[in-house]
Amino acid sequence: MTPASTDLPARYDVAVVGAGIVGLAHAWHAVRAGLRVVVIERDEFAVGASVRNFGHICTTAQSGLVYEYALRAREEWLMLATDAGLPVATTGTAVIARRPEELAVLEEFVGERSDDNVLLTAPQLAEKLGFDAPGALGGAWLGLDLRVDAPTAIPAFGAQLARLGVEFRYRANVLGVESGRLVTAAGDIAADRIIVAVGHDVDRLFPAAAAAHEVVRCRLRMIEADAPTGLVVGPGVFTGTSLLRYDGFAETKAAEVLRDALAREVPALGEHGVNLMLTQRLPHSAQAGRLVLGDTHHYSLTEPPFDDEASDELLLAEFRALLGVDHLVVRRRWRGVYASSTKGPYLVAHPAPGVTAVSVTSGIGMTTALGLAASVLDL
């Protein structure tokens, strides 16, 4: 433990380490409960997984407790849209099925959750999408899903918290955590309750908790490209690979048949952990209209520094086929990193009295953090 001074500043009720979506979610619930809250962030602004994603609030495809968190989070996002003027698109998700096995998963899923989801014929799907996906047999419409522009939504969320009275301390790297005290490079901070929400870097502060939960880093590649001329895609877009990544789909009996079919027909997708999906940047974004394409998934405890161009080429080839175009103009590429574990979607550990480490270890932070945080704080 790094030595700390004995002269502590005024205490906060809650100190949150990390200004990504998980940290902000805890601050959101705490400040609205009337607590004095401070958020500590090591960088000048949030630059991690919370701003590198699709901005897709994938409520519908979750299951069990995760689905409960996702439903609560959806309510909170809509509240933020009203209270903070944060643009939230209620345009749902369209799922493209290009194989009979994919249709079978959707039929089983919609049969169990028909309230907000409907099966679509190929013409109905094209109408929802705004384009004809070559080879589409049909699909499904997931009405509850939302979308935000992640790079602007996170700063806007932080600004709303500041208006509510949350104090932010940026460029304050945390060096040590103990009950009642944070030791940072910018001075000590005292708090009755400390929430550490640093994603995959939880192993830097609490290696034992990270090891017990078997946390590794998931490295992914994403691409931003110009939309083909005139293309407007209202909903988020899933494909057959998405049906194997989200538990609501993956737990169906038909999913195992689909898994075998994809492994046999397009093994490269499995080798690169591809979840072929896209969103379109919202109108208020500086990159409005561009398509966010992705993504690959590779897992390791330590990230290797090298990216293989083959994974990007695979993504671009798949999207050219999906959109029925010969060429896509790429504008930006980036690497995303998030915490991952086969032991469950969340790490919630209590390494010391009054200290809670929280990481979403499943890539669904934007979708569920606002529900998870309410449960963790138990206010």
Side-chain angles (χ1 to χ4, degrees), residues 98-117:
R98 293 179 289 176
R99 294 174 176 82
E101 295 89 349
E102 294 166 5
L103 274 180
V105 172
L106 293 175
E107 289 168 355
E108 186 176 342
F109 177 80
V110 172
E112 296 172 355
R113 295 198 203 172
S114 58
D115 290 348
D116 301 293
N117 310 299

Side-chain angles (χ1 to χ4, degrees), residues 239-254:
T239 68
T241 56
S242 310
L243 304 181
L244 302 179
R245 291 206 66 87
Y246 300 100
D247 286 347
F249 301 128
E251 291 171 354
T252 62
K253 294 178 180 177

Side-chain angles (χ1 to χ4, degrees), residues 126-321:
E127 183 177 355
K128 286 286 189 185
L129 290 171
F131 66 93
D132 285 304
L137 303 177
W141 173 249
L142 315 180
L144 289 179
D145 291 6
L146 307 173
R147 281 194 303 122
V148 298
D149 181 66
T152 56
I154 296 301
F157 191 178
Q160 175 65 4
L161 289 171
R163 286 190 288 270
L164 293 175
V166 174
E167 182 179 336
F168 282 82
R169 298 193 186 184
Y170 290 99
R171 298 178 65 189
N173 191 39
V174 171
L175 306 175
V177 184
E178 59 187 45
S179 295
R181 189 202 317 253
L182 286 170
V183 182
T184 86
D188 292 356
I189 294 171
D192 296 328
R193 182 90 182 265
I194 296 172
I195 304 294
V196 179
V198 293
H200 57 275
D201 284 338
V202 64
D203 59 359
R204 308 301 193 209
L205 290 170
F206 305 114
H213 197 67
E214 298 178 6
V215 174
V216 298
R217 287 161 175 76
C218 178
R219 183 179 80 260
L220 51 90
R221 288 287 289 173
M222 297 185 69
I223 296 171
E224 187 176 86
D226 287 345
T229 304
L231 180 63
V232 177
V233 186
V237 179
F238 278 169
T239 68
T241 56
S242 310
L243 304 181
L244 302 179
R245 291 206 66 87
Y246 300 100
D247 286 347
F249 301 128
E251 291 171 354
T252 62
K253 294 178 180 177
E256 197 57 40
V257 178
L258 172 59
R259 190 180 305 276
D260 292 341
L262 289 177
R264 183 174 61 253
E265 296 172 18
V266 279
L269 297 181
E271 292 167 7
H272 289 276
V274 171
N275 175 19
L276 199 72
M277 63 172 288
L278 69 88
T279 57
Q280 189 167 37
R281 293 287 190 197
L282 296 179
H284 70 282
S285 167
Q287 292 76 36
R290 291 183 185 174
L291 301 180
V292 181
L293 312 173
D295 54 355
T296 59
H297 299 77
H298 297 91
Y299 303 88
S300 59
L301 190 60
T302 300
E303 297 173 67
F306 307 108
D307 289 317
D308 186 351
E309 187 67 14
S311 63
D312 284 11
E313 287 302 318
L314 174 64
L315 286 176
L316 289 170
E318 289 291 329
F319 278 110
R320 288 193 294 266

